Amino acid sequence: MSEKSQKVIAANWKMNGSLELLHSLSSLPSSKNKIIICPPTTLICKSKEILPREVFIGGQNCNENASGPYTGEISAAMLYESGARYVILGHSERRSIFKESNKLIFNKLLCATKFKLVPILCVGEDLEEKNQGKAKEIIESQLGQCIPKDIDFDDLIIAYEPVWAIGTGLTPKIEDIAEIHRFIRDFLIENFGSKASQVPILYGGSANEKNCAEIMSISDVGGLLVGGASLKKKEFIEISKA
Ligand code: PEP
């Protein structure tokens, strides 16, 4: 399968997981999908040693500066050096808990790409925005303000994650996921040109072994970003085969 048509299954462990979980995935069966595991930063080096060679590793965040006096922070270059090739940016938990703005996320994308990491940019509306009918408006401003104009779309992944679906067991209707993914694709092509026509757009928010196949079958869905279910070995193995 060509790289471009390969779907992506990315695991976001958040501040969870352990060396034990990593070891349990050492024999993760090979998959037609591209698998990206984003463990806590402390496990990235070990992930390279323990996980099968075809599994890619990602960070969950990086600082917007190349280096300097930012105690407790991790730079894009450090992630790359430890073996990560991807980094999740703009996750809703970073936006809401750590008050990350679109401007800050834009700067993080710039820094990540400068140091050869592929950003997985998360966008999506919260419950209030959904109820006010503002989902598309919110997603449009996140995409428009977070993506640098001259970004290489071969090295970018978008994840649509409705905030109200994250960790709640709720998912949008299949036709709603399809509509938003189509909307994101159209917006990107309109604003960045045809180079954006192949960028993978993942779905994230309570994806699990039961719903993954149906969601993955939507034509504009380029894969899944999986939180909670990625911490359960058997379930994640099932999802990775979707
Ligand atoms: C996430 O936080 O990126 C996520 C998709 O979480 P969950 O699968 O647990 O909803």
Side-chain angles (χ1 to χ4, degrees), residues 189-209:
I189 293 173
E190 214 168 282
N191 288 273
F192 296 92
S194 59
K195 61 186 180 171
S197 62
Q198 298 294 322
V199 67
I201 306 171
L202 315 186
Y203 167 78
S206 296
N208 58 40
E209 63 183 326

Side-chain angles (χ1 to χ4, degrees), residues 12 14 91 93 161 165-167 204-207 225-228:
N12 176 13
K14 313 190 187 194
H91 190 279
E93 287 151 17
E161 298 208 297
I166 294 180
S206 296
L225 179 53
V226 187

Side-chain angles (χ1 to χ4, degrees), residues 153-193:
F153 274 84
D154 286 335
D155 288 325
L156 178 66
I157 295 177
I158 306 290
Y160 168 55
E161 298 208 297
V163 181
W164 52 271
I166 294 180
T168 58
L170 303 171
T171 49
K173 292 194 208 106
I174 290 296
E175 55 270 31
D176 292 344
I177 297 178
E179 183 182 335
I180 295 287
H181 278 245
R182 186 75 247 159
F183 171 78
I184 292 175
R185 175 85 57 211
D186 290 347
F187 176 87
L188 292 175
I189 293 173
E190 214 168 282
N191 288 273
F192 296 92

Side-chain angles (χ1 to χ4, degrees), residues 205-225:
S206 296
N208 58 40
E209 63 183 326
K210 292 203 179 80
N211 60 23
C212 61
E214 193 178 18
I215 298 174
M216 289 277 277
S217 71
I218 303 171
S219 67
D220 258 309
V221 169
L224 300 170
L225 179 53

